[in-house]
Amino acid sequence: MADSSFDIVSKVERQEVDNALNQAAKEISQRYDFKGTGASISWSGEKILMEANGEERVKAILDIFQSKLIKRGISLKSLDAGEPQLSGKEYKIFASIEEGISQENAKKVAKTIRDEGPKGVKAQVQGDELRVSSKSRDDLQAVQALLKGKDFEFAIQFVNYR
């Protein structure tokens, strides 16, 4: 019998991030407390740029954007937001969306599977993802349950279950 397997990845649906950004921009443009403050959120190349005339306001923009991401099912672990920076009279926050599992993080996940997972489960790093295979589908489901219970500093999803 052939081995069953699944892949562990860290991917973000770009369109969902774009939708969350557009919803946040719409809310910012309509809210009374942001009128006349130069508050905005937009794409700046691959990064997301949030601007306002006060540090508290720019943090509020970040908070609005985070709530929109959560509503769209995107983990905040994949959002890497910097600290507010003063640029002229404007405060800015640059944020980026992190994708892919680094080699170091993939090794942590593989070690967790080896140490705490069922025997006979193999985990191998393949680029920016991790392939987990076993003869038993029940063992694979046990590994998924184990990893869901762990709190990694990056978002993980399970794909290609076969």
Side-chain angles (χ1 to χ4, degrees):
M1 186 176 125
D3 283 3
S4 299
S5 68
F6 68 89
D7 294 336
I8 301 171
V9 297
S10 181
K11 291 196 180 349
V12 176
E13 190 69 41
R14 178 81 176 198
Q15 185 61 50
E16 290 296 329
V17 174
D18 204 36
N19 291 343
L21 187 124
N22 290 336
Q23 286 179 333
K26 186 174 181 184
E27 182 174 325
I28 290 164
S29 71
Q30 293 174 343
R31 275 188 32 182
Y32 178 76
D33 56 338
F34 286 117
K35 292 280 188 243
T37 62
S40 68
I41 181 170
S42 62
W43 285 104
S44 173
E46 284 295 307
K47 293 190 178 279
I48 298 161
L49 172 65
M50 294 162 257
E51 301 180 283
N53 64 0
E55 187 174 355
E56 294 305 314
R57 283 203 170 83
V58 80
K59 286 181 178 177
I61 293 171
L62 177 61
D63 192 45
I64 291 169
F65 182 54
Q66 287 175 337
S67 70
K68 300 300 180 190
L69 286 174
I70 290 170
K71 284 181 183 171
R72 295 212 153 264
I74 297 171
S75 173
L76 291 183
K77 291 178 182 178
S78 59
L79 178 70
D80 182 24
E83 290 298 313
Q85 301 167 339
L86 184 60
S87 172
K89 293 182 179 177
E90 298 266 305
Y91 278 90
K92 295 181 179 185
I93 293 179
F94 285 98
S96 60
I97 302 297
E98 301 290 323
E99 287 193 296
I101 301 174
S102 69
Q103 290 289 327
E104 169 186 319
N105 288 336
K107 287 178 183 172
K108 285 182 193 172
V109 175
K111 182 173 176 9
T112 301
I113 293 170
R114 263 196 321 276
D115 295 347
E116 302 175 35
K119 298 292 178 230
V121 175
K122 296 185 287 287
Q124 51 202 149
V125 179
Q126 296 181 333
D128 62 351
E129 54 186 49
L130 197 70
R131 165 84 35 100
V132 180
S133 58
S134 172
K135 293 204 181 304
S136 164
R137 286 179 173 248
D138 292 340
D139 286 350
L140 292 180
Q141 290 174 337
V143 167
Q144 285 183 351
L146 168 75
L147 294 178
K148 284 179 185 172
K150 294 285 178 191
D151 187 29
F152 296 108
E153 61 268 7
F154 53 95
I156 59 173
Q157 295 90 28
F158 306 113
V159 296
N160 292 340
Y161 190 78
R162 47 178 173 249

